[in-house]
């Protein structure tokens, strides 16, 4: 091996590690936010509602169709024995919208609970970041098997989570800044189509920024692996002490026999 070969190999190893870190980050984000299927389950009920309402202006049929497709999505998840958290969240969101719109008789109110949730989530990202516990870290910590270790043991990762949480908060606030004026000024169909159009792009932008920040951050500390290693070490120590005790007992027994 020449002196020129070693830096090349080291660089290749570093590149491979960075690529692995990016792949792990991408997979974790895909799992945490539901991936393509989760996005479809998020968009479809609202899309169905605004499509039917645009055609016939019937609040009841639009609401029933949106709720029905949400339930079907959950049933499909259950039948496939897949995770249902995203589908269930969609059902609850649609159900709140349906109930609210039926109570007020205003079709635009179908969207109001979701808009208020988006505003609350935006504020939660910003407030938790200001408090030193960025929400995106609380969401992704268990996914990366690091739990809250990033708060005290991994400052670079905490900084990345803070940046990502700021990104989520500001993007969602910008979305609210568009939707709430439309709630007052636009009709139901206009609000619905704009809301459907704003479902995916801001989400993808926030996920991409999160990926960028975390891909450059230090690797997560696998606290689960640390706990397993500690348990194994404790078990090995107990076995060693038991073996020593057994040897001592045999030695004492042999001494008595010689006497």
């Amino acid at each position: 091996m020449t002196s020129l070969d070693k830096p090349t190999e080291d660089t290749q190893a570093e590149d491979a590690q960075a690529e692995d870190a990016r792949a792990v980050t991408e997979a974790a984000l895909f799992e945490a936010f539901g991936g393509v299927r989760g996005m479809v389950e998020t968009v479809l009920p609202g899309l169905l509602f605004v499509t039917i309402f645009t055609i016939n202006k019937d609040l009841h049929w639009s609401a029933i169709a949106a709720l029905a497709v949400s339930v079907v999505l959950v049933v499909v998840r259950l039948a496939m024995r897949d995770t249902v958290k995203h589908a269930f969240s969609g059902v609850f969101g649609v159900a709140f919208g349906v109930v609210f719109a039926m109570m007020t008789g205003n079709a635009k109110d179908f969207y109001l609970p979701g808009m208020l949730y988006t505003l609350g989530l935006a504020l939660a990202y910003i407030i938790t970041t200001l408090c030193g516990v960025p929400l995106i870290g609380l969401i992704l910590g268990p996914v990366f098997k690091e739990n809250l270790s990033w708060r005290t043991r991994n400052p670079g990762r905490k900084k990345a989570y803070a940046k990502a949480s700021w990104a989520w908060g500001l993007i969602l606030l910008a979305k609210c800044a568009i939707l709430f004026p439309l709630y007052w000024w636009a009709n139901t169909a206009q609000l619905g189509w704009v809301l459907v159009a704003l479902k995916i792009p801001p989400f993808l932008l926030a996920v991409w920024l999160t990926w960028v920040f975390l891909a450059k951050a230090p690797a997560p500390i696998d606290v689960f692996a640390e706990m397993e290693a500690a348990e194994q070490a404790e078990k090995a120590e107990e076995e060693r002490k038991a073996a020593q005790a057994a040897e001592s007992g045999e030695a004492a027994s042999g001494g008595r026999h010689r006497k």
Side-chain angles (χ1 to χ4, degrees):
M1 180 183 295
T2 66
S3 60
L4 296 177
D5 293 333
K6 188 172 181 180
T8 301
E9 292 179 359
D10 291 343
T11 301
Q12 291 176 346
E14 291 175 359
D15 291 342
Q17 290 177 351
E19 186 64 28
D20 290 342
R22 286 192 289 268
V24 170
T25 300
E26 183 177 346
L29 289 174
F30 194 87
E31 176 186 346
F33 297 113
V36 174
R37 189 172 180 180
M39 288 188 286
V40 171
E41 291 172 344
T42 300
V43 172
L44 191 56
L47 178 61
L48 189 60
F49 179 90
V50 70
T51 300
I52 295 176
F53 190 84
T54 300
I55 294 171
N56 61 18
K57 307 298 181 184
D58 191 315
L59 170 60
H60 292 79
W61 280 111
S62 301
I64 291 171
L67 186 58
V69 75
S70 298
V71 173
V72 168
L73 292 173
V74 172
V75 171
V76 171
R77 287 269 192 177
L78 291 173
M80 297 179 66
R81 296 182 179 180
D82 201 354
T83 178
V84 296
K85 62 180 180 180
H86 298 289
F88 264 129
S89 64
V91 167
F92 288 128
V94 172
F96 277 118
V98 168
V99 170
F100 204 67
M102 292 294 187
M103 289 177 59
T104 64
N106 185 353
K108 284 197 292 187
D109 288 340
F110 172 80
Y111 302 109
L112 188 57
M115 292 166 57
L116 292 173
Y117 172 79
T118 300
L119 177 59
L121 189 60
L123 295 176
Y125 277 116
I126 292 173
I127 292 171
T128 55
T129 304
L130 292 174
C131 292
V133 193
L135 181 58
I136 199 70
L138 300 178
I139 295 172
L140 295 180
V143 178
F144 284 110
K145 300 180 181 180
E146 60 181 333
N147 285 349
L148 296 179
S149 62
W150 50 267
R151 287 196 63 200
T152 55
R153 300 173 57 190
N154 205 339
R157 199 157 181 85
K158 180 180 179 180
K159 185 177 180 181
Y161 280 140
K163 290 180 179 179
S165 290
W166 274 114
W168 278 92
L170 295 177
I171 288 171
L172 293 179
L173 279 181
K175 182 178 176 179
C176 291
I178 296 172
L179 292 178
F180 276 97
L182 288 176
Y183 174 79
W184 297 108
W185 301 333
N187 61 41
T188 301
Q190 291 170 336
L191 173 62
W193 286 113
V194 171
L195 197 147
V196 168
L198 290 178
K199 277 284 186 179
I200 301 302
F203 172 81
L204 290 180
L205 176 60
V207 170
W208 178 75
L209 288 173
T210 302
W211 179 83
V212 169
F213 295 140
L214 292 182
K216 297 179 181 179
I221 299 171
D222 192 337
V223 294
F224 296 148
E226 289 182 345
M227 292 170 61
E228 291 177 359
E231 290 176 359
Q232 291 176 357
E234 185 178 353
K235 183 178 179 180
E237 180 65 17
E238 291 176 354
E239 291 175 351
R240 186 185 66 80
K241 291 181 179 179
Q244 286 181 344
E247 290 176 0
S248 300
E250 290 176 359
S253 177
R256 288 194 295 271
H257 286 311
R258 284 196 295 272
K259 290 182 180 179

